[in-house]
Amino acid sequence: MGERKVLNKYYPPDFDPSKIPRLRLPRDRQYTVRLMAPFNMRCTTCGEYIYKGKKFNARKETVQNEEYLGIKIFRFYIKCTRCLAEITFKTDPQNTDYECEHGATRNFQAQKFAEEEEELKKQQREEEEMNNPMKVILPIFVKKTQTSI
């Protein structure tokens, strides 16, 4: 019974590992992976809705000459469930999201747009405070009047 659970292999005394040919694979090799759709999308060919979380067998490749702060960017190829048109999207590590390239359009995401709008308003407020000399002086003036009372 113990023979089927062998942990080490037998190497004959005349074994030479340098005689085994090495497998040379190309750098831009595509892998087949199983993934879920990262966002809701609609196929541009047939109009089929593909919801977030739908599972696909996809081809994955590393995007050449593109990276963000040393992080590799990957491109995924999937097929529409109805018309078999090819849909591609790639990772977007800068925004911790995915970017739809072609074959589909991304459906509206209200929460993402609301967060972006809030961030924009915050930046505008900060710029206004930095550029307005009266707003810069006002907190100093208020502190002086409170300490003198």
Side-chain angles (χ1 to χ4, degrees):
M1 196 65 148
E3 309 85 46
R4 65 184 183 87
K5 295 185 179 178
V6 176
L7 298 175
N8 46 3
K9 306 266 188 224
Y10 171 74
Y11 293 106
D14 60 340
F15 176 72
D16 187 11
S18 62
K19 291 182 180 176
I20 298 173
R22 295 199 51 186
L23 187 63
R24 305 268 185 218
L25 297 174
R27 282 248 184 237
D28 56 349
R29 182 175 159 199
Q30 289 187 346
Y31 298 94
T32 302
V33 293
R34 180 89 169 158
L35 64 84
M36 294 173 145
F39 48 83
N40 294 325
M41 60 183 112
R42 187 173 182 190
C43 178
T44 53
T45 308
C46 65
E48 175 79 4
Y49 285 100
I50 300 169
Y51 59 89
K52 180 179 181 176
K54 175 87 173 132
K55 290 184 180 179
F56 290 96
N57 292 323
R59 293 189 333 266
K60 177 184 108 172
E61 71 178 8
T62 306
V63 179
Q64 298 296 320
N65 302 324
E66 272 191 61
E67 59 179 44
Y68 174 73
L69 300 175
I71 301 170
K72 293 179 184 175
I73 296 176
F74 296 105
R75 179 176 288 124
F76 298 96
Y77 299 91
I78 62 173
K79 296 209 182 254
C80 175
T81 53
R82 190 197 295 174
C83 67
L84 299 176
E86 192 170 65
I87 298 170
T88 63
F89 56 90
K90 64 182 182 178
T91 57
D92 185 11
Q94 184 174 8
N95 300 320
T96 62
D97 201 14
Y98 291 85
E99 180 184 326
C100 190
E101 287 188 316
H102 84 276
T105 56
R106 191 169 182 160
N107 287 359
F108 181 73
Q109 288 185 327
Q111 184 179 6
K112 181 180 177 186
F113 286 125
E115 289 173 359
E116 288 176 357
E117 189 174 315
E118 184 179 315
E119 184 80 22
L120 184 65
K121 285 182 181 178
K122 184 178 178 183
Q123 287 177 354
Q124 287 176 348
R125 235 182 293 121
E126 289 175 359
E127 284 180 20
E128 184 180 313
E129 289 176 3
M130 295 301 290
N131 294 335
N132 191 347
M134 292 305 287
K135 289 197 176 191
V136 174
I137 295 172
L138 187 61
I140 298 169
F141 179 72
V142 171
K143 279 186 179 178
K144 285 184 180 180
T145 56
Q146 288 177 350
T147 56
S148 64
I149 295 177

